Amino acid sequence: MRPAADIPARHRLVLAAARLLITLRHPMLVVRFARKMGYWPNPAAPERYNECMLWRRLIDHNPLFITLSDKLAAKDYVRAVCPELEVPKTLWRGHDPDDIPSVLLEGDVVVKANHGCDMNVFVSGGQPDRASIVRQLRLWLGKRQGRRNSEWAYWPIVPEVFVEEMLPLSGGEIATEIKVQVCSGVVCHVRAEDKKALKSRLFEPDGNPLAGRDIDYPREDQALPVTARLVELIRQAALIAPRIAGDLDYVRVDFLVTRERLYAGEITVYSAGGYATWSNPAIMADIERRWRLDQSDYLRRRHKGLARLYADALRSKCLRAYGSPEPVPVAEIHPPLGVPDTHDA
């Protein structure tokens, strides 16, 4: 969001007071942000991408974020809004790792926990052994994701473990994953990643490569080769992702890639914990231009008391900076699945 100095003085005063109060309430998060990003954030009236992510973590407690952050609930959500997209099969789920059928761990599967990121065990030919898998799962079940970075949506998730089919990902040929950044139904850019070859590349929605690297594979020799099949899948992902994202102000929609088709991957509301960067500043600037906080759940709801003063002030700044938003086409908006009607502000 760009600066808007011409907002009424009362709104500027409210935003200044809100910045002070939020900073005093979350001093460690603000200091950690400054150390990581190299500047002091404005968590009350953010303008840059990472500031917006900080604002989302601290202020915008959209209940749909819980559904999307829960790996099992997200599968049901995708089936509801995009039934033609393949979803990896869940072979077993439960709360006690000891209950996992031994026969499942003798084949090629992925064992996961539903309540966090990087909680995956890839099992092939009986390895790792059952005892190691159970021990790791128990450690994950005892961990609450998102506490350090205040990634609120993980906190209410009831932890479960599950066994999922292992897809024949096309690493070394096309890519293993495609990740689409979406703001209010509009695709900003697409990232294709090959986790087997340790390569990636950024694309426009139509499949044209973008300049710049990402933080995971920063070297130029880690640029993923552009092929006709990859471009075709990029375009498919860019068409499907807005249907899954609906009218969310910002979200990243991931796909798994096999030789035959795309499969549903994760839906990420706190990309890289809120600290994602790209070597090409134009990529981040494009997201900042499209990410309108007045399309967030927080600013779409009615508030009372001091929260209303703050919401009105921030909404005023958004409108002065960008004007009235264009609504997402009705066909692209899908009702959330299993989302409660109320939540904490």
Side-chain angles (χ1 to χ4, degrees), residues 62-190:
N62 185 343
L64 180 56
F65 293 168
I66 303 171
T67 298
L68 302 182
S69 300
D70 182 332
K71 289 184 174 65
L72 288 168
K75 288 188 177 190
D76 294 334
Y77 176 86
V78 171
R79 291 188 185 99
V81 300
C82 194
E84 68 272 22
L85 179 64
E86 293 284 348
V87 178
K89 294 182 178 63
T90 300
L91 307 176
W92 179 89
R93 61 185 289 181
H95 299 281
D96 189 345
D98 283 327
D99 292 338
I100 300 176
S102 297
V103 66
L104 290 180
L105 301 182
E106 295 172 359
D108 295 342
V109 295
V110 186
V111 184
K112 301 181 177 183
N114 71 319
H115 65 297
C117 60
D118 297 326
M119 294 182 177
N120 310 306
V121 178
F122 295 89
V123 181
S124 181
Q127 295 296 323
D129 62 84
R130 181 185 180 86
S132 299
I133 295 171
V134 170
R135 184 164 55 249
Q136 181 62 73
L137 291 174
R138 291 202 178 281
L139 288 175
W140 286 338
L141 288 173
K143 176 183 177 182
R144 285 297 186 179
Q145 177 75 18
R147 292 292 180 183
R148 176 177 171 80
N149 287 330
S150 193
E151 295 167 289
W152 167 85
Y154 288 113
W155 303 350
I157 298 173
V158 177
E160 284 189 72
V161 295
F162 63 103
V163 180
E164 186 178 270
E165 66 171 324
M166 183 181 290
L167 298 174
L169 300 181
S170 59
E173 297 181 21
I174 307 171
T176 55
E177 297 179 37
I178 292 175
K179 304 179 178 183
V180 186
Q181 308 268 356
V182 186
C183 291
S184 299
V186 177
V187 174
C188 301
H189 72 273
V190 183

Side-chain angles (χ1 to χ4, degrees), residues 39-325:
Y39 66 93
W40 290 98
N42 184 345
E47 296 172 359
R48 301 169 68 172
Y49 169 81
N50 299 104
E51 285 181 309
C52 290
M53 290 297 296
L54 178 62
W55 182 86
R56 168 176 281 190
R57 287 184 279 146
L58 297 178
I59 305 298
D60 189 22
H61 291 178
N62 185 343
L64 180 56
F65 293 168
I66 303 171
T67 298
L68 302 182
S69 300
D70 182 332
K71 289 184 174 65
L72 288 168
K75 288 188 177 190
D76 294 334
Y77 176 86
V78 171
R79 291 188 185 99
V81 300
C82 194
E84 68 272 22
L85 179 64
E86 293 284 348
V87 178
K89 294 182 178 63
T90 300
L91 307 176
W92 179 89
R93 61 185 289 181
H95 299 281
D96 189 345
D98 283 327
D99 292 338
I100 300 176
S102 297
V103 66
L104 290 180
L105 301 182
E106 295 172 359
D108 295 342
V109 295
V110 186
V111 184
K112 301 181 177 183
N114 71 319
H115 65 297
C117 60
D118 297 326
M119 294 182 177
N120 310 306
V121 178
F122 295 89
V123 181
S124 181
Q127 295 296 323
D129 62 84
R130 181 185 180 86
S132 299
I133 295 171
V134 170
R135 184 164 55 249
Q136 181 62 73
L137 291 174
R138 291 202 178 281
L139 288 175
W140 286 338
L141 288 173
K143 176 183 177 182
R144 285 297 186 179
Q145 177 75 18
R147 292 292 180 183
R148 176 177 171 80
N149 287 330
S150 193
E151 295 167 289
W152 167 85
Y154 288 113
W155 303 350
I157 298 173
V158 177
E160 284 189 72
V161 295
F162 63 103
V163 180
E164 186 178 270
E165 66 171 324
M166 183 181 290
L167 298 174
L169 300 181
S170 59
E173 297 181 21
I174 307 171
T176 55
E177 297 179 37
I178 292 175
K179 304 179 178 183
V180 186
Q181 308 268 356
V182 186
C183 291
S184 299
V186 177
V187 174
C188 301
H189 72 273
V190 183
R191 176 176 180 262
E193 176 181 1
D194 187 335
K195 286 189 174 180
K196 295 181 180 179
L198 303 181
K199 294 182 178 183
S200 70
R201 190 182 286 271
L202 304 172
F203 293 86
E204 295 177 341
D206 61 4
N208 288 325
L210 286 166
R213 309 294 308 142
D214 63 72
I215 58 176
D216 293 329
Y217 307 104
R219 302 193 314 268
E220 287 304 318
D221 65 342
Q222 292 180 305
L224 190 66
V226 179
T227 65
R229 179 57 175 160
L230 177 58
V231 170
E232 179 185 2
L233 291 171
I234 292 290
R235 292 171 177 170
Q236 288 181 18
L239 287 173
I240 298 171
R243 295 184 54 194
I244 297 173
D247 62 349
L248 286 173
D249 52 321
Y250 169 79
V251 73
R252 196 190 79 204
V253 181
D254 296 354
F255 299 86
L256 299 172
V257 183
T258 70
R259 295 180 184 87
E260 291 78 25
R261 61 176 63 87
L262 296 175
Y263 283 77
E266 296 183 4
I267 305 171
T268 305
V269 299
Y270 306 118
S271 184
Y275 297 111
T277 58
W278 296 265
S279 64
N280 183 352
I283 294 174
M284 187 174 292
D286 184 57
I287 299 178
E288 292 169 351
R289 180 174 62 87
R290 298 181 186 277
W291 188 350
R292 297 190 52 138
L293 297 188
D294 54 348
Q295 296 298 289
S296 67
D297 178 73
Y298 184 83
L299 290 186
R300 284 180 169 182
R301 290 189 291 113
R302 294 183 178 181
H303 300 274
K304 297 180 180 179
L306 294 177
R308 179 178 178 179
L309 292 178
Y310 168 64
D312 287 346
L314 182 54
R315 196 179 295 113
S316 174
K317 182 171 184 177
C318 292
L319 291 175
R320 293 298 179 96
Y322 292 115
S324 298

